[in-house]
Amino acid sequence: MFSEIPMTDVHSTTIFTNRKVSLLDGSFGVLYTPRTETNFCGILAQSEIFPQRVSNEHIHSYTVIGSIEPVEKILDTFKKLTSLTSENILHHEHYVWKKSIPVYNRPRQEQVLKIQDSLLQQKTSIAFFGNYLFAIGLKDLVRGAQSL
Protein backbone atom coordinates (compact mmCIF):
# COMPACT_ATOMS: atom_id res chain seq x y z
CA MET A 1 0.00 0.00 0.00
CA PHE A 2 2.88 2.38 0.73
CA SER A 3 4.33 1.75 -2.73
CA GLU A 4 1.17 3.22 -4.27
CA ILE A 5 1.96 6.66 -2.83
CA PRO A 6 3.24 8.77 -5.74
CA MET A 7 6.87 9.81 -5.28
CA THR A 8 9.12 12.21 -7.15
CA ASP A 9 12.86 12.45 -7.69
CA VAL A 10 14.88 15.26 -6.14
CA HIS A 11 17.90 16.70 -7.91
CA SER A 12 20.68 18.41 -5.98
CA THR A 13 23.98 19.99 -6.93
CA THR A 14 26.49 20.73 -4.18
CA ILE A 15 28.89 23.52 -5.10
CA PHE A 16 32.18 24.09 -3.29
CA THR A 17 33.52 27.64 -3.45
CA ASN A 18 36.56 29.58 -2.27
CA ARG A 19 34.41 32.58 -1.41
CA LYS A 20 31.45 32.93 0.93
CA VAL A 21 28.10 33.91 -0.57
CA SER A 22 27.29 37.12 1.31
CA LEU A 23 23.54 36.73 0.66
CA LEU A 24 23.59 33.45 2.64
CA ASP A 25 26.04 34.46 5.38
CA GLY A 26 24.72 33.14 8.70
CA SER A 27 21.56 31.68 7.16
CA PHE A 28 20.03 28.27 6.52
CA GLY A 29 19.57 29.10 2.85
CA VAL A 30 17.03 30.62 0.52
CA LEU A 31 13.92 29.31 -1.24
CA TYR A 32 12.69 30.66 -4.55
CA THR A 33 9.08 30.81 -5.70
CA PRO A 34 8.08 29.64 -9.18
CA ARG A 35 7.81 33.33 -10.12
CA THR A 36 11.51 33.88 -9.44
CA GLU A 37 13.71 33.68 -12.50
CA THR A 38 15.69 30.65 -11.35
CA ASN A 39 15.74 27.11 -12.63
CA PHE A 40 15.77 25.61 -9.13
CA CYS A 41 13.80 25.71 -5.86
CA GLY A 42 16.43 26.87 -3.41
CA ILE A 43 19.96 26.94 -2.09
CA LEU A 44 21.03 25.40 1.23
CA ALA A 45 24.04 27.06 2.86
CA GLN A 46 25.70 23.80 3.94
CA SER A 47 28.84 25.38 5.42
CA GLU A 48 26.65 27.76 7.45
CA ILE A 49 24.33 24.99 8.69
CA PHE A 50 27.14 22.52 9.49
CA PRO A 51 30.26 24.61 10.23
CA GLN A 52 31.89 21.65 12.04
CA ARG A 53 32.02 19.75 8.72
CA VAL A 54 34.21 22.41 7.12
CA SER A 55 37.85 21.47 7.62
CA ASN A 56 39.15 24.52 5.74
CA GLU A 57 37.69 27.92 6.65
CA HIS A 58 38.36 29.12 3.09
CA ILE A 59 36.10 26.49 1.48
CA HIS A 60 32.33 26.94 1.52
CA SER A 61 29.60 24.61 0.25
CA TYR A 62 26.11 25.30 -1.02
CA THR A 63 23.52 22.81 -2.25
CA VAL A 64 21.16 23.81 -5.02
CA ILE A 65 17.93 21.79 -4.82
CA GLY A 66 15.10 21.04 -7.19
CA SER A 67 16.47 21.49 -10.69
CA ILE A 68 16.34 19.07 -13.59
CA GLU A 69 18.40 21.41 -15.77
CA PRO A 70 21.89 20.47 -16.99
CA VAL A 71 24.57 21.17 -14.38
CA GLU A 72 26.11 23.93 -16.54
CA LYS A 73 22.83 25.87 -16.47
CA ILE A 74 22.55 25.41 -12.70
CA LEU A 75 26.09 26.71 -12.22
CA ASP A 76 25.42 29.71 -14.49
CA THR A 77 22.29 30.64 -12.53
CA PHE A 78 24.10 30.12 -9.21
CA LYS A 79 26.90 32.46 -10.33
CA LYS A 80 24.40 35.15 -11.40
CA LEU A 81 22.49 34.96 -8.11
CA THR A 82 25.59 34.94 -5.91
CA SER A 83 27.94 37.22 -7.88
CA LEU A 84 30.56 34.47 -7.91
CA THR A 85 32.71 33.68 -10.93
CA SER A 86 33.95 30.41 -12.42
CA GLU A 87 37.23 30.98 -10.56
CA ASN A 88 35.33 30.91 -7.26
CA ILE A 89 33.83 27.47 -7.94
CA LEU A 90 36.28 24.78 -6.87
CA HIS A 91 34.20 21.66 -7.43
CA HIS A 92 30.57 20.53 -7.80
CA GLU A 93 28.70 17.23 -7.34
CA HIS A 94 25.30 16.45 -8.83
CA TYR A 95 22.93 13.79 -7.40
CA VAL A 96 19.52 12.46 -8.30
CA TRP A 97 17.67 11.08 -5.29
CA LYS A 98 15.22 8.63 -6.91
CA LYS A 99 11.65 8.63 -5.56
CA SER A 100 12.68 10.50 -2.44
CA ILE A 101 9.75 12.84 -1.76
CA PRO A 102 6.01 12.16 -1.95
CA VAL A 103 3.92 14.18 -4.36
CA TYR A 104 1.51 16.16 -2.20
CA ASN A 105 -1.72 15.64 -4.08
CA ARG A 106 -5.17 14.17 -3.57
CA PRO A 107 -4.21 10.54 -4.52
CA ARG A 108 -1.43 10.63 -1.90
CA GLN A 109 -3.79 11.86 0.79
CA GLU A 110 -6.38 9.22 -0.11
CA GLN A 111 -3.75 6.47 0.00
CA VAL A 112 -2.54 7.57 3.45
CA LEU A 113 -6.13 7.55 4.73
CA LYS A 114 -6.66 4.09 3.21
CA ILE A 115 -3.57 2.78 5.01
CA GLN A 116 -4.73 4.28 8.32
CA ASP A 117 -8.22 2.83 7.94
CA SER A 118 -6.76 -0.58 7.10
CA LEU A 119 -4.62 -0.57 10.24
CA LEU A 120 -7.53 0.47 12.45
CA GLN A 121 -9.84 -2.20 11.01
CA GLN A 122 -7.26 -4.95 11.46
CA LYS A 123 -6.65 -3.93 15.08
CA THR A 124 -3.00 -4.47 14.34
CA SER A 125 -0.14 -3.35 16.53
CA ILE A 126 1.61 -1.83 13.50
CA ALA A 127 1.95 1.94 13.50
CA PHE A 128 3.44 4.23 10.90
CA PHE A 129 4.54 7.82 11.20
CA GLY A 130 6.91 10.31 9.66
CA ASN A 131 7.30 13.71 8.07
CA TYR A 132 5.15 12.87 5.09
CA LEU A 133 1.81 11.79 6.52
CA PHE A 134 -0.40 14.86 6.28
CA ALA A 135 1.94 17.79 6.64
CA ILE A 136 5.47 18.47 7.69
CA GLY A 137 5.91 19.34 11.35
CA LEU A 138 6.29 17.90 14.80
CA LYS A 139 2.69 18.71 15.73
CA ASP A 140 1.45 16.56 12.84
CA LEU A 141 3.76 13.70 13.79
CA VAL A 142 2.47 13.68 17.36
CA ARG A 143 -1.14 13.94 16.19
CA GLY A 144 -0.59 11.06 13.77
CA ALA A 145 1.00 8.88 16.44
CA GLN A 146 -1.81 9.63 18.92
CA SER A 147 -4.54 8.77 16.41
CA LEU A 148 -2.93 5.40 15.71
Side-chain angles (χ1 to χ4, degrees):
M1 290 176 83
F2 279 109
S3 67
E4 293 175 26
I5 294 175
M7 302 289 279
T8 189
D9 300 344
V10 172
H11 294 249
S12 69
T13 304
T14 300
I15 303 167
F16 298 88
T17 68
N18 61 7
R19 203 175 106 203
K20 199 178 249 196
V21 174
S22 58
L23 168 74
L24 301 173
D25 191 17
S27 74
F28 184 84
V30 63
L31 292 175
Y32 296 101
T33 69
R35 293 183 182 164
T36 311
E37 293 183 18
T38 64
N39 53 3
F40 44 77
C41 299
I43 303 172
L44 297 175
Q46 297 288 0
S47 48
E48 297 293 318
I49 301 168
F50 306 108
Q52 67 278 14
R53 291 187 188 171
V54 181
S55 59
N56 183 333
E57 64 186 50
H58 302 292
I59 296 177
H60 311 279
S61 66
Y62 303 92
T63 299
V64 173
I65 53 172
S67 178
I68 59 171
E69 299 288 343
V71 174
E72 294 75 26
K73 190 168 182 179
I74 294 168
L75 292 173
D76 286 343
T77 305
F78 180 80
K79 287 187 282 189
K80 286 176 192 168
L81 290 169
T82 61
S83 301
L84 295 182
T85 65
S86 295
E87 291 75 34
N88 298 126
I89 295 177
L90 304 171
H91 176 70
H92 66 274
E93 297 173 3
H94 184 79
Y95 296 100
V96 178
W97 309 89
K98 295 286 185 187
K99 295 188 176 186
S100 57
I101 298 225
V103 177
Y104 286 89
N105 59 10
R106 177 62 106 187
R108 179 201 153 276
Q109 182 183 14
E110 290 169 356
Q111 187 64 16
V112 169
L113 291 172
K114 195 163 117 179
I115 292 169
Q116 282 187 326
D117 289 344
S118 171
L119 290 174
L120 291 172
Q121 290 171 7
Q122 295 174 24
K123 297 185 179 171
T124 179
S125 59
I126 296 173
F128 71 100
F129 56 91
N131 282 18
Y132 303 115
L133 287 181
F134 292 105
I136 297 175
L138 185 58
K139 179 175 71 174
D140 295 295
L141 296 176
V142 171
R143 187 181 305 126
Q146 286 174 339
S147 69
L148 290 172

